[in-house]
Amino acid sequence: MQDPFTKDIFLYEYVYDVSQQKIIDALMHHEISSGCEAVGFFSIEEDQFTVLEFENKRAGQIEKVVMSFYDYMRHYAKNVIIEEDREKFLAHYLDRKYTTSEFSQEIVYRTLRNGKIEYLSGSSCCYEEDGKTYCVLVRRNVTDLIRQEEEKNQELTAALDKANKASQAKNDFLARMSHDMRTPMNAILGMSHLAAEEAKKGLPTPDHINQIEQSSQYLLGVINDILEMGRIESGKTTLACDYYSPEDIFLPVIHMIRPSMEKKKIQFVFDENILGRWNAEYYADEQKVQQMLMNLLNNACKFTQEGGRVELRFSNLSIDKEKCYGVDQIIIEDNGCGMSEAFLENIFEPFEQERLPGNESIPGTGLGLSIARNIARLMGGDITVTSEIGKGSTFTVIFPYHYRILPASEQESKIVPEPAQIERLLGKRVLLAEDNEINAMIAAKLLENKGLTVKLAVNGKEAVEEFKKAPPKTYDFILMDIRMPLMDGLEAARTIRAIERPDAADIPIIAMSANAFEEDRQLSIQSGMNAHLSKPVEPKVLFETLLEYV
């Protein structure tokens, strides 16, 4: 610079300490990358605290506050932090050990913003330089992280609670199963022993035989429930739909449940006119609809006291004649013991069964209602329930279906046939493939008692060889187990069908297997069999099936 009067040249040199600005710039850069909302730094010896509040980090707006560290902390606690967290906050920052540690310290506290609680995290780190102790503090908003952690903890707690409840329910279920399976087994073994003793003395044993049969049927029901529930939980349950008349579906259910109702002197009310209300057929899975209704009616019968009342009602909710689609409502109402409001929340869960005074000894798996509802939902419907202790329960089934109207000629010809005559089976020859000695003995005795001749093969390979070496038309039927050594029943059936002689293609092959599911039946049909009977095979069903192919 030149003096205008003296013409002397002057040089001025300025030195600025830009350390603090460099620190601020560095902190600003760190804030942008780490997401914090405020940064403070101070020298403990000087007790001068500088706070940078980042109001808008994108616009670079910073509010700078300089004051005593301890005064700032008290002011901040009083005006920002909720009352419940103030003492913890001040104890953290006003204790000298937190501002002299070489390691980072962190505290989480709450504040109120826009009427909502938010979580803030304060962390500090101290270091020494040139004989002085410096401390840097960072504040971040961790509300989202805390909320996410709380949600995860809640989910984990809920999952653990659900798992514990499921485990307890299954333990209870296994305990009940042990009781419910041992009870009929005890009756079967006991009555078998009594029947054998009395038979030695030449005494009649019809009562013992009846009780053995009843106990066996109950035990079979328990096993079926367990298997069905397992399939439902694994997602393997499917529908096998076909067209059935209302009589085909509902009348067998009525016939099956009536004896139980009559035994308890329960007034069972049912409008039988519903069966013939229109000349149409439902497109449905007959067996599963019957299973669903039997589970509901059996439940009503079990929990209705002697002399009570159970009513079965049908009503139509909607009909679309163009699409041949309808929705019916089926109501099963009883005046039995009812259920508590708390139990109704879990009534359709597997293994659940409420024990109230007076019904502790009622047997059951706790699976019937769960199975029924799963079937209803599989069909596109549902089951709901209302109940009150001491007044009874009402189950409502929403039953959607497609249907077809029968032609007039088919309606007129739909006459119930005369009962088949068992004498038509006299002299017929059966090739029985069964590897279990007891099952083979029972099946052979049943057939021989009705005048049939039985040849036993102990596996599929032996059955094929016996059929090959026998002259054509030697056998009228083949009864085939599925699971056998050397060659199973499916392969044996395919092998027989492939033999080049006329009767190999025509002979009725009927599966008798413990494989009881729909896909098992389909596999039997695909292998060339004519029918599939699930064990234990009822004699009536066996003979009716044989008569279809005479």
Side-chain angles (χ1 to χ4, degrees):
M1 178 181 289
Q2 186 179 34
D3 188 316
F5 299 104
T6 65
K7 305 302 182 181
D8 293 331
I9 303 297
F10 296 92
L11 176 64
Y12 294 92
E13 183 176 299
Y14 297 92
V15 178
Y16 293 98
D17 186 351
V18 295
S19 299
Q20 190 178 61
Q21 185 60 45
K22 289 294 185 182
I23 293 173
I24 292 174
D25 291 343
L27 291 172
M28 182 64 182
H29 176 76
H30 179 270
E31 184 279 333
I32 290 173
S33 62
S34 65
C36 64
E37 61 178 35
V39 174
F41 55 93
F42 74 108
S43 166
I44 293 175
E45 287 78 8
E46 297 175 356
D47 190 26
Q48 182 173 313
F49 188 45
T50 301
V51 181
L52 305 179
E53 295 277 358
F54 303 106
E55 295 181 349
N56 189 329
K57 61 185 178 184
R58 289 189 177 180
Q61 296 177 2
I62 303 174
E63 179 183 343
K64 183 177 179 181
V65 178
V66 180
M67 62 188 300
S68 164
F69 173 74
Y70 297 102
D71 290 344
Y72 178 87
M73 288 301 172
R74 292 186 182 95
H75 175 80
Y76 182 81
K78 180 180 179 181
N79 294 281
V80 176
I81 302 174
I82 66 171
E83 185 175 356
E84 293 82 358
D85 289 357
R86 287 174 192 167
E87 184 177 349
K88 175 181 70 172
F89 177 86
L90 291 172
H92 181 87
Y93 281 112
L94 299 188
D95 191 329
R96 296 285 296 186
K97 70 179 181 180
Y98 290 108
T99 55
T100 58
S101 172
E102 294 180 358
F103 301 99
S104 177
Q105 304 290 329
E106 185 174 9
I107 182 174
V108 176
Y109 53 91
R110 293 169 293 172
T111 185
L112 192 64
R113 293 178 178 176
N114 300 320
K116 295 182 179 180
I117 293 289
E118 293 191 6
Y119 291 85
L120 302 178
S121 167
S123 59
S124 61
C125 182
C126 298
Y127 63 94
E128 292 186 2
E129 185 177 312
D130 298 331
K132 292 183 179 181
T133 302
Y134 296 92
C135 190
V136 178
L137 293 85
V138 178
R139 184 176 78 235
R140 292 183 176 85
N141 191 316
V142 293
T143 302
D144 291 341
L145 292 175
I146 295 293
R147 299 288 189 227
Q148 291 173 8
E149 187 176 348
E150 288 177 346
E151 289 176 2
K152 287 181 180 178
N153 287 337
Q154 289 174 358
E155 290 175 0
L156 289 172
T157 301
L160 180 61
D161 184 56
K162 185 176 181 180
N164 288 336
K165 287 183 178 178
S167 177
Q168 184 61 45
K170 288 188 177 181
N171 287 337
D172 293 342
F173 162 75
L174 290 173
R176 289 201 302 270
M177 287 305 94
S178 177
H179 173 271
D180 288 350
M181 296 178 78
R182 287 175 182 273
T183 298
M185 278 303 300
N186 183 66
I188 292 169
L189 294 173
M191 289 299 167
S192 298
H193 177 75
L194 291 175
E197 290 295 316
E198 294 187 7
K200 291 177 183 178
K201 301 174 184 178
L203 299 174
T205 60
D207 291 340
H208 299 328
I209 300 302
N210 289 337
Q211 291 184 47
I212 290 172
E213 183 176 0
Q214 291 172 8
S215 297
S216 300
Q217 290 295 333
Y218 175 77
L219 183 58
L220 179 61
V222 171
I223 295 170
N224 287 338
D225 279 352
I226 296 171
L227 294 175
E228 183 66 25
M229 198 65 235
R231 290 176 57 76
I232 288 171
E233 290 185 336
S234 64
K236 293 183 178 180
T237 300
T238 56
L239 296 176
C241 294
D242 205 342
Y243 285 100
Y244 300 96
S245 69
E247 294 94 332
D248 293 335
I249 297 176
F250 302 123
L251 201 55
V253 176
I254 304 305
H255 290 161
M256 283 189 285
I257 198 63
R258 263 181 175 159
S260 299
M261 298 286 189
E262 291 171 355
K263 186 176 181 180
K264 291 185 69 174
K265 298 181 174 60
I266 292 174
Q267 182 184 5
F268 181 39
V269 180
F270 170 70
D271 181 10
E272 296 198 28
N273 292 328
I274 194 70
L275 299 178
R277 63 191 171 103
W278 61 338
N279 294 310
E281 290 183 329
Y282 293 104
Y283 186 72
D285 186 322
E286 177 190 40
Q287 183 178 5
K288 281 194 166 49
V289 174
Q290 291 174 348
Q291 183 182 13
M292 174 183 69
L293 293 178
M294 272 301 297
N295 284 355
L296 294 173
L297 286 168
N298 188 53
N299 188 75
C301 181
K302 284 197 302 182
F303 293 99
T304 298
Q305 66 278 10
E306 187 170 326
R309 175 186 171 92
V310 174
E311 185 173 357
L312 174 63
R313 301 194 300 272
F314 290 78
S315 62
N316 177 254
L317 298 181
S318 66
I319 282 288
D320 186 333
K321 293 184 178 180
E322 291 185 2
K323 297 180 179 180
C324 290
Y325 180 81
V327 179
D328 282 0
Q329 179 176 264
I330 305 172
I331 295 177
I332 297 173
E333 183 177 3
D334 66 69
N335 63 351
C337 62
M339 292 167 282
S340 66
E341 187 174 345
F343 178 70
L344 289 179
E345 296 179 4
N346 303 310
I347 186 174
F348 293 109
E349 293 296 320
F351 315 119
E352 293 290 341
Q353 194 169 24
E354 187 172 38
R355 296 299 183 184
L356 295 172
N359 72 359
E360 300 94 335
S361 61
I362 295 177
T365 63
L367 296 176
L369 294 181
S370 180
I371 292 171
R373 190 182 217 187
N374 274 282
I375 290 173
R377 289 182 170 180
L378 194 63
M379 295 187 300
D382 203 356
I383 300 177
T384 57
V385 59
T386 59
S387 186
E388 187 175 346
I389 291 180
K391 294 188 177 181
S393 305
T394 300
F395 287 86
T396 301
V397 182
I398 302 301
F399 176 51
Y401 54 89
H402 287 276
Y403 67 89
R404 68 179 181 185
I405 302 297
L406 293 175
S409 59
E410 195 170 334
Q411 294 173 21
E412 293 173 1
S413 63
K414 196 173 182 182
I415 302 171
V416 178
E418 289 294 321
Q421 300 298 318
I422 201 71
E423 287 79 9
R424 295 166 57 198
L425 296 175
L426 287 173
K428 300 296 182 183
R429 293 179 58 84
V430 178
L431 175 57
L432 173 63
E434 173 62 72
D435 64 314
N436 184 281
E437 185 177 349
I438 294 178
N439 288 343
M441 182 270 291
I442 292 172
K445 285 291 184 183
L446 287 172
L447 295 166
E448 289 168 352
N449 287 342
K450 298 300 181 181
L452 291 90
T453 302
V454 179
K455 173 67 176 180
L456 177 64
V458 297
N459 56 61
K461 183 179 180 181
E462 188 174 313
V464 172
E465 292 173 351
E466 171 61 29
F467 183 81
K468 282 182 177 179
K469 73 179 183 180
K473 301 295 183 180
T474 297
Y475 294 106
D476 300 288
F477 308 101
I478 298 176
L479 298 181
M480 186 78 73
D481 186 22
I482 299 299
R483 296 190 179 185
M484 293 183 292
L486 300 182
M487 182 184 289
D488 65 35
L490 300 178
E491 186 179 352
R494 288 191 291 266
T495 304
I496 289 172
R497 293 300 188 205
I499 297 173
E500 293 184 2
R501 66 187 219 194
D503 60 339
D506 298 335
I507 187 169
I509 305 177
I510 299 165
M512 292 201 309
S513 172
N515 299 343
F517 298 119
E518 174 58 25
E519 56 263 38
D520 299 318
R521 189 188 73 83
Q522 292 292 340
L523 287 173
S524 296
I525 301 303
Q526 291 168 11
S527 71
M529 299 191 195
N530 299 84
H532 181 103
L533 304 181
S534 299
K535 292 178 180 177
V537 178
E538 295 185 21
K540 180 176 181 292
V541 175
L542 171 61
F543 293 123
E544 286 178 351
T545 304
L546 294 178
L547 284 164
E548 290 181 18
Y549 298 98
V550 172

